[in-house]
Amino acid sequence: MLKRSVLFDTETTGVDPYKGDRIIEIAALELMNDLPTENFYHVLINPERDIPAEATKVHGFVWDDLKDKPKFREIVDNFLSFIGQDSLIAHNAPFDFKFVNAELEKLNREKLSLDRMIDTLQLARARFPSSPNSLDALCRRYSIDLSERKTHNALLDCKLLSEVYIELTGGRQRGLELAHHQIQKTSKTYAASSMRKPIYVVPTSEELENHRKFIKDCLIDPLWYKVT
């Protein structure tokens, strides 16, 4: 049975939602058995406040980019529908959970349970305790192309993180195992079909006589004719 999870990322106006900072971008990717599918969610959000210059340096967005975008209350149902009740994966996940839950709290909506949280930063620190474990650092470690990452971008960061997550969890090997299992299943089906009882065709006397005449006419002193 396939296991669904969702990898997501947010961009914000700052670092503290309880001091007025808001979400300006959400992206999410569907994973099946920890491998990405083509199903994703992405939206830019009007934060209903200004964008500090320090935040713009991180993600590149200014107020003019967002002033005509929907507000969080207008996208919340679509977002919650996409993530369902599945596990939620993010890099430094407590940050993203904190912001999403602050937005949900403003709307008197049920918060995301922390039991759903999978933090890739924590996974990376456990695996590489003495190394830098930012998304950039992990991409470099695993030779993942960073050429498009000029600024933080939620959708691009999700795509990069999905590749990192595969490496951190051995997901690529699990994918190969699934493919191998499918090949084995196909091979067994073929083997079973190959073991069916053969059907023997017995030629008639007339067919045998015609065959002998054909061989005699085609070959000079045929050995086949002598033994048959």
Side-chain angles (χ1 to χ4, degrees), residues 21-134:
D21 288 315
R22 305 290 300 272
I23 294 175
I24 63 170
E25 184 183 20
I26 299 178
L29 294 179
E30 178 185 66
L31 306 181
M32 299 301 288
N33 281 1
D34 294 337
L35 299 175
T37 72
E38 295 181 357
N39 196 17
F40 70 93
Y41 175 88
H42 180 231
V43 64
L44 294 176
I45 299 169
N46 180 338
E48 304 181 76
R49 56 152 293 167
D50 64 305
I51 314 294
E54 304 81 42
T56 298
K57 289 178 182 178
V58 174
H59 48 60
F61 291 111
V62 296
W63 172 244
D64 282 346
D65 297 323
L66 305 168
K67 62 183 181 182
D68 297 326
K69 304 303 179 184
K71 299 175 177 62
F72 187 87
R73 63 177 176 272
E74 297 173 288
I75 62 92
V76 62
D77 289 329
N78 287 339
F79 173 65
L80 294 178
S81 176
F82 183 85
I83 65 174
Q85 296 300 315
D86 300 301
S87 297
L88 296 171
I89 304 158
H91 200 64
N92 192 18
F95 177 90
D96 299 285
F97 268 72
K98 179 173 68 173
F99 266 90
V100 171
N101 280 338
E103 296 285 359
L104 292 172
E105 188 176 10
K106 287 183 175 69
L107 300 174
N108 295 315
R109 304 290 290 267
E110 183 179 355
K111 294 182 181 180
L112 302 180
S113 170
L114 299 185
D115 292 338
R116 300 171 64 181
M117 180 192 297
I118 298 175
D119 184 6
T120 53
L121 179 58
Q122 186 177 29
L123 293 177
R125 285 172 174 168
R127 190 163 184 177
F128 309 112
S130 301
S131 302
N133 288 300
S134 67

Side-chain angles (χ1 to χ4, degrees), residues 169-184:
T169 62
R172 196 178 305 281
Q173 282 68 35
R174 283 202 298 281
L176 290 174
E177 288 169 7
L178 286 172
H180 179 63
H181 174 72
Q182 185 61 39
I183 290 171
Q184 285 185 320

